[in-house]
Amino acid sequence: MDSRIYTPGAGHQPPVLAGRDDLMRDWRLMLNDTGARGRVAAVDTILVGPRGVGKTALLKAYGHEADRHGSIVLSVQAVQGGEGLIGSLMQQARTQTQAEAGPWRRARAAFENVAGVNVSVAGFGGGVSMREPATQAAHPDAGMLAAALAGLAAEVGKDHPGAGLLMTVDELQVAPHRDLALLAATLHRLNVDHPEANVTFAATGLPLTPSVLTAAGVTHPDRLFSVQDIPLNLTPPDARYALVEPARDLEVTWQPDALDRVLAVTNGYPAHLQLLADRVWRAAPGPDTVTLADVEGALPRLAEELEMRTFGPRWDRMSDRQAEFLTALAVLGGRAAMAELATALGRASTDLSWLRDQLLKEGDIYVPRYGQVAIAVPLFAPFVLARYPQDRRTGQESGIRSLEELRNNSATGQAGPHPGKVTRPNPARLDPPGGPGPRTPPPPR
């Protein structure tokens, strides 16, 4: 096919935001209500989920909705070890207050002590000058910051009735704890001191984000934020729609068996759905149909690409203990209770908590419900099962169990002795554990 209609890659906006209709509807209603009533109607939202499920794309869609109706959108990307959230926010305020007319210029006085913008003695027409960074407050006060944000939102509303200010943060879980505490305090001060302010907030984060907020000292984050869980997989109808609708706009149809194969391979995981659809689309001769043969022809290249760019580098960085934990989870179907993992590994659940925490922080696993863990990327499971026997040192001397041991322990419900030879699975197989065909997550155990 000549054009590229699918959008693989982190942060790219898919052509169709499939499976997010309810969330977008609720967001639009919230923006409307906040425009009419202020903070009393605001719902500060955190979109949480494993990597690759489309959190950033949804956050961008939220920002687009706000911008479309005249609101100012302040977007911040949290970076591990980089400039903090508040520092990034203040830098945007300094830049905008200097450069922009309209609401920013009118609100400059409110940001004077917060963002380091100094009002010129020449008055309104004299412009602004930057204070030296050394003279700026090390960390702004939550009340001052809330007042500045409320003032800016009020100025926006003068130009666009019903519009205000939206703050968005991507990857909230890596922000410094001090910034998270100040952010929460600022939102709380907005609620208390400026209930009429049209200020809204939305962020993304990995599933561990609520616990990170608690560790940062945020009191009752569940009361301050609405945490929206973004599922790992699209439902089969939504996954089909994500593939079919962009193609139909170009008068191209997908054969049903081709769609079935894509869903079987990706299990509806949005990142890999877009990646495989793009590879199939680019290789398909067309001109007006995508066939099962087109999909099959793209699979070897997809496997090679995932191994080289995604799975291989992460796998090579894992310790043997981490790899053993993840392999046991893959043997159990990619999702299991910690007690089941302990049985497969022949260890106490308490001995696995540190491994669980390490893999959670890396985003390799997530917690679908209390007491359970799941592999965050469906196609990682067959990769792990294929690579573990050849890449990891197992046996009694190392204390690392073989793949056959893990399977036997899982089947019998008890840890057995170290066996001998290991049967290696086919590394070319791309179907998720459990066989081909669209698969829904297993029921709660």
mmCIF file of all heavy atoms in Angstrom, residues 3 13 64 89 102 106 151 187 192 194 196 203 252 268 288 312 329 363 393 410 418:
data_model
loop_
_atom_site.group_PDB
_atom_site.id
_atom_site.type_symbol
_atom_site.label_atom_id
_atom_site.label_comp_id
_atom_site.label_asym_id
_atom_site.label_seq_id
_atom_site.Cartn_x
_atom_site.Cartn_y
_atom_site.Cartn_z
ATOM 1 N N SER A 3 0.188 4.579 1.184
ATOM 2 C CA SER A 3 0.188 5.482 2.337
ATOM 3 C C SER A 3 0.326 4.702 3.628
ATOM 4 O O SER A 3 0.043 3.498 3.694
ATOM 5 C CB SER A 3 -1.112 6.292 2.359
ATOM 6 O OG SER A 3 -2.225 5.424 2.405
ATOM 7 N N GLN A 13 -0.322 9.296 17.946
ATOM 8 C CA GLN A 13 -1.780 9.278 18.000
ATOM 9 C C GLN A 13 -2.327 8.291 16.981
ATOM 10 O O GLN A 13 -2.032 8.397 15.788
ATOM 11 C CB GLN A 13 -2.328 10.688 17.716
ATOM 12 C CG GLN A 13 -3.691 10.964 18.293
ATOM 13 C CD GLN A 13 -3.666 11.092 19.815
ATOM 14 O OE1 GLN A 13 -2.610 11.094 20.429
ATOM 15 N NE2 GLN A 13 -4.837 11.197 20.407
ATOM 16 N N HIS A 64 -6.551 18.066 23.456
ATOM 17 C CA HIS A 64 -7.133 18.601 22.219
ATOM 18 C C HIS A 64 -8.554 19.098 22.460
ATOM 19 O O HIS A 64 -8.949 20.155 21.934
ATOM 20 C CB HIS A 64 -7.123 17.530 21.129
ATOM 21 C CG HIS A 64 -7.810 17.938 19.868
ATOM 22 N ND1 HIS A 64 -7.275 18.860 18.990
ATOM 23 C CD2 HIS A 64 -9.018 17.579 19.338
ATOM 24 C CE1 HIS A 64 -8.107 19.037 17.973
ATOM 25 N NE2 HIS A 64 -9.170 18.278 18.166
ATOM 26 N N LEU A 89 6.864 23.449 34.826
ATOM 27 C CA LEU A 89 5.688 24.315 34.808
ATOM 28 C C LEU A 89 6.077 25.776 34.922
ATOM 29 O O LEU A 89 5.569 26.637 34.190
ATOM 30 C CB LEU A 89 4.742 23.913 35.942
ATOM 31 C CG LEU A 89 3.456 24.726 36.082
ATOM 32 C CD1 LEU A 89 2.569 24.529 34.853
ATOM 33 C CD2 LEU A 89 2.711 24.319 37.343
ATOM 34 N N GLY A 102 -2.523 38.747 25.653
ATOM 35 C CA GLY A 102 -3.766 38.115 26.081
ATOM 36 C C GLY A 102 -3.712 37.634 27.510
ATOM 37 O O GLY A 102 -3.136 38.289 28.389
ATOM 38 N N ARG A 106 -1.921 39.336 30.909
ATOM 39 C CA ARG A 106 -2.779 39.923 31.939
ATOM 40 C C ARG A 106 -2.616 39.238 33.287
ATOM 41 O O ARG A 106 -2.870 39.843 34.331
ATOM 42 C CB ARG A 106 -4.247 39.862 31.500
ATOM 43 C CG ARG A 106 -4.547 40.660 30.236
ATOM 44 C CD ARG A 106 -6.042 40.905 30.070
ATOM 45 N NE ARG A 106 -6.824 39.673 29.995
ATOM 46 C CZ ARG A 106 -7.145 39.060 28.868
ATOM 47 N NH1 ARG A 106 -6.718 39.542 27.689
ATOM 48 N NH2 ARG A 106 -7.874 37.953 28.890
ATOM 49 N N GLY A 151 -5.927 32.571 38.632
ATOM 50 C CA GLY A 151 -5.935 33.868 37.959
ATOM 51 C C GLY A 151 -5.783 33.737 36.464
ATOM 52 O O GLY A 151 -6.460 34.434 35.687
ATOM 53 N N LEU A 187 -3.580 21.391 43.981
ATOM 54 C CA LEU A 187 -4.939 21.030 43.551
ATOM 55 C C LEU A 187 -5.914 21.121 44.722
ATOM 56 O O LEU A 187 -7.063 21.556 44.552
ATOM 57 C CB LEU A 187 -4.938 19.628 42.959
ATOM 58 C CG LEU A 187 -4.148 19.450 41.649
ATOM 59 C CD1 LEU A 187 -4.074 17.974 41.256
ATOM 60 C CD2 LEU A 187 -4.758 20.271 40.520
ATOM 61 N N VAL A 192 -10.159 24.389 47.792
ATOM 62 C CA VAL A 192 -10.551 25.096 49.011
ATOM 63 C C VAL A 192 -10.671 26.593 48.787
ATOM 64 O O VAL A 192 -11.662 27.225 49.192
ATOM 65 C CB VAL A 192 -9.540 24.801 50.140
ATOM 66 C CG1 VAL A 192 -9.831 25.657 51.372
ATOM 67 C CG2 VAL A 192 -9.546 23.324 50.497
ATOM 68 N N HIS A 194 -10.281 28.412 45.700
ATOM 69 C CA HIS A 194 -10.737 28.931 44.408
ATOM 70 C C HIS A 194 -11.761 27.965 43.788
ATOM 71 O O HIS A 194 -11.555 27.473 42.663
ATOM 72 C CB HIS A 194 -9.550 29.124 43.458
ATOM 73 C CG HIS A 194 -8.425 29.910 44.050
ATOM 74 N ND1 HIS A 194 -8.426 31.283 44.111
ATOM 75 C CD2 HIS A 194 -7.268 29.490 44.651
ATOM 76 C CE1 HIS A 194 -7.313 31.696 44.701
ATOM 77 N NE2 HIS A 194 -6.589 30.637 45.035
ATOM 78 N N GLU A 196 -14.370 28.443 42.305
ATOM 79 C CA GLU A 196 -14.955 28.921 41.055
ATOM 80 C C GLU A 196 -13.992 28.808 39.873
ATOM 81 O O GLU A 196 -14.372 29.027 38.717
ATOM 82 C CB GLU A 196 -15.384 30.380 41.221
ATOM 83 C CG GLU A 196 -14.250 31.402 41.161
ATOM 84 C CD GLU A 196 -13.262 31.339 42.336
ATOM 85 O OE1 GLU A 196 -13.628 30.766 43.392
ATOM 86 O OE2 GLU A 196 -12.136 31.858 42.215
ATOM 87 N N ALA A 203 -3.418 13.264 34.035
ATOM 88 C CA ALA A 203 -2.064 12.717 33.975
ATOM 89 C C ALA A 203 -2.120 11.264 33.546
ATOM 90 O O ALA A 203 -3.191 10.644 33.514
ATOM 91 C CB ALA A 203 -1.374 12.842 35.334
ATOM 92 N N VAL A 252 -10.305 0.440 1.437
ATOM 93 C CA VAL A 252 -9.588 -0.835 1.535
ATOM 94 C C VAL A 252 -10.272 -1.673 2.609
ATOM 95 O O VAL A 252 -10.619 -1.165 3.678
ATOM 96 C CB VAL A 252 -8.107 -0.620 1.899
ATOM 97 C CG1 VAL A 252 -7.401 -1.967 2.094
ATOM 98 C CG2 VAL A 252 -7.400 0.193 0.814
ATOM 99 N N GLY A 268 -4.967 -8.049 21.053
ATOM 100 C CA GLY A 268 -5.607 -6.753 21.217
ATOM 101 C C GLY A 268 -4.785 -5.739 21.984
ATOM 102 O O GLY A 268 -5.304 -4.681 22.372
ATOM 103 N N ASP A 288 -6.877 -3.119 -2.883
ATOM 104 C CA ASP A 288 -8.069 -2.770 -2.116
ATOM 105 C C ASP A 288 -8.425 -3.802 -1.047
ATOM 106 O O ASP A 288 -9.485 -3.734 -0.450
ATOM 107 C CB ASP A 288 -9.272 -2.564 -3.040
ATOM 108 C CG ASP A 288 -9.507 -3.759 -3.961
ATOM 109 O OD1 ASP A 288 -8.903 -4.815 -3.716
ATOM 110 O OD2 ASP A 288 -10.288 -3.617 -4.921
ATOM 111 N N GLY A 312 14.517 -8.184 23.295
ATOM 112 C CA GLY A 312 15.897 -8.601 23.503
ATOM 113 C C GLY A 312 16.666 -7.701 24.454
ATOM 114 O O GLY A 312 17.263 -8.186 25.429
ATOM 115 N N LEU A 329 5.744 -16.826 35.458
ATOM 116 C CA LEU A 329 4.487 -16.141 35.170
ATOM 117 C C LEU A 329 3.997 -16.479 33.761
ATOM 118 O O LEU A 329 2.794 -16.677 33.533
ATOM 119 C CB LEU A 329 4.677 -14.634 35.340
ATOM 120 C CG LEU A 329 3.443 -13.740 35.229
ATOM 121 C CD1 LEU A 329 2.346 -14.195 36.176
ATOM 122 C CD2 LEU A 329 3.821 -12.286 35.517
ATOM 123 N N GLY A 363 8.020 -1.827 34.720
ATOM 124 C CA GLY A 363 6.875 -1.906 33.821
ATOM 125 C C GLY A 363 6.743 -3.241 33.123
ATOM 126 O O GLY A 363 5.950 -3.374 32.186
ATOM 127 N N ARG A 393 21.216 -19.600 33.165
ATOM 128 C CA ARG A 393 21.897 -20.706 33.827
ATOM 129 C C ARG A 393 20.988 -21.268 34.914
ATOM 130 O O ARG A 393 20.676 -20.597 35.897
ATOM 131 C CB ARG A 393 23.207 -20.214 34.435
ATOM 132 C CG ARG A 393 24.011 -21.278 35.148
ATOM 133 C CD ARG A 393 25.395 -20.725 35.501
ATOM 134 N NE ARG A 393 26.096 -21.613 36.421
ATOM 135 C CZ ARG A 393 26.135 -21.430 37.736
ATOM 136 N NH1 ARG A 393 25.517 -20.388 38.261
ATOM 137 N NH2 ARG A 393 26.787 -22.256 38.514
ATOM 138 N N SER A 410 3.988 -26.056 38.364
ATOM 139 C CA SER A 410 2.709 -25.400 38.110
ATOM 140 C C SER A 410 1.602 -26.423 37.896
ATOM 141 O O SER A 410 0.467 -26.212 38.321
ATOM 142 C CB SER A 410 2.814 -24.497 36.884
ATOM 143 O OG SER A 410 3.810 -23.517 37.068
ATOM 144 N N HIS A 418 15.080 -30.993 40.689
ATOM 145 C CA HIS A 418 15.567 -30.525 39.394
ATOM 146 C C HIS A 418 15.558 -31.656 38.384
ATOM 147 O O HIS A 418 16.138 -32.712 38.627
ATOM 148 C CB HIS A 418 16.994 -29.984 39.521
ATOM 149 C CG HIS A 418 17.057 -28.655 40.180
ATOM 150 N ND1 HIS A 418 16.905 -27.488 39.502
ATOM 151 C CD2 HIS A 418 17.231 -28.319 41.479
ATOM 152 C CE1 HIS A 418 16.998 -26.464 40.343
ATOM 153 N NE2 HIS A 418 17.202 -26.952 41.548
#
